[in-house]
Amino acid sequence: MDTLVEKYNIIFDKYIASKKEEDLDGLQDLSFEAIEHDISPEEVVSLHKDLMLEKELTAEEAKYSMDVLLEMIMGFGFSYRDYKALVRKMEAHDKEMDVAVSLQSMMLKTAIPKLDSIEIGAISVPAQRVNGDYFNLIDHKDGTMSFAVADVIGKGIPAALAMSMIKFGMDSYGHSQLPSDGLKRLNRVVEKNVNQNMFVTMFYGLYEEVNSKFYYSSAGHEPGYIYREQTDSFQELNARGIVLGINPSTRYDQKEHQIEIGDMIIVFTDGFSEIRRLNGEFVSTEELLEIIREYKHLHPQDIVQVVYEELLKQQDPKKRDDLTILIIKKIH
């Protein structure tokens, strides 16, 4: 404030003496400097009043001094107009985001299939307003169910659009398809239609109710797990494959497992596996799985909710990511 008073005083005296407009040139920069230091227009007016009284100006000099004050305050006026214009742009952007969120919610909405032999739980929470994660479940009405969990390497509206395109591609098949073939087709969709700097990881599974078999493939996604009720242990699902959208001719490995009563298939995105605590440490996958083991007796939807709430308590809110977890439990 002292530096600003000194600069203002110099310009004040110089203009009163010369009456030349060019001697006011430094005032706009000075007003921007005042704004940067949170000095209000009221404080500038008070400063000007003090200088007028201190210098005992004549009526004519007082009249000219108002030119100094006016030029100084004009800078605040420009700043206020810029601020209002920015507010209007932000309001328009917020409306566009509301539309994007609504569209994404509608386009990515998936119904939870009801099969006799399994229970399903899923939760997907965006870090921001639009979600870069995605899960989908498709009951093919032939005793099979396809499911997928995916994560776009990218954020915001472009990621949301990419996810919507992938869901459309997966839904459009209209029949049960082995995961390796499903990923092969989706890879072409992503490679042709999604920005070259945006890639997608995906875990793709197929469950056959008639023989309780589970098939899966992965496109660079986090490993999934099977909880085995008989041994009270977790088995990692380690199929390998590169992310979608890099090479149109990529082929994906496929594996299969028998699912017994009480077993659970667990798939999540890296938002769960890379949660950071306030001290910077990561919550380990073992801790995540231990929470699932503790609540294994619950319905899968209750399990995913408990997992989310438990991990949310530990998470550093400044390092949030999209969170998605899917659990499929065999009951009959």
Side-chain angles (χ1 to χ4, degrees), residues 247-262:
N247 185 342
S249 60
T250 298
R251 295 181 179 275
Y252 294 91
D253 292 338
Q254 180 175 290
K255 296 188 177 183
E256 62 182 78
H257 294 279
Q258 192 72 31
I259 305 299
E260 307 295 342
I261 293 174

Side-chain angles (χ1 to χ4, degrees), residues 106-221:
M106 179 178 64
M107 295 173 72
L108 295 185
K109 188 175 182 179
T110 184
I112 303 295
K114 296 187 182 298
L115 280 73
D116 293 335
S117 65
I118 59 173
E119 293 175 338
I120 301 169
I123 189 170
S124 186
V125 182
Q128 301 175 4
R129 296 178 66 183
V130 291
N131 202 342
D133 283 2
Y134 153 83
F135 75 91
N136 195 18
L137 301 122
I138 304 173
D139 183 355
H140 297 290
K141 308 299 182 182
D142 59 0
T144 65
M145 179 188 72
S146 293
F147 61 94
V149 174
D151 185 2
V152 174
I153 303 172
K155 301 297 178 188
I157 293 176
L161 292 174
M163 279 305 177
S164 301
M165 186 178 302
I166 291 166
K167 184 177 189 299
F168 176 78
M170 188 173 175
D171 289 348
S172 66
Y173 298 148
H175 59 277
S176 59
Q177 191 167 52
L178 288 172
S180 57
D181 294 331
L183 284 182
K184 186 176 179 181
R185 290 195 180 189
L186 288 173
N187 180 56
R188 294 197 190 104
V189 171
V190 173
E191 195 274 332
K192 288 181 179 179
N193 298 287
V194 177
N195 188 299
Q196 291 183 349
N197 296 321
M198 188 177 295
F199 306 107
V200 180
T201 72
M202 176 176 276
F203 185 101
Y204 196 122
L206 177 73
Y207 175 72
E208 290 183 346
E209 191 167 38
V210 65
N211 56 15
S212 299
K213 277 199 172 181
F214 157 57
Y215 306 84
Y216 74 96
S217 295
S218 177
H221 198 76

Side-chain angles (χ1 to χ4, degrees), residues 4 22 50 65 69 85-86 102-103 134 142-144 158 185 196 205 208 216 222 234 259 261 271 273-274 296 309:
L4 184 136
E22 57 262 31
D50 290 343
S65 78
L69 180 60
L86 180 60
S102 178
L103 282 173
Y134 153 83
D142 59 0
T144 65
R185 290 195 180 189
Q196 291 183 349
E208 290 183 346
Y216 74 96
E222 291 288 305
F234 290 93
I259 305 299
I261 293 174
S273 61
E274 296 180 358
K296 63 183 181 180
E309 291 174 0

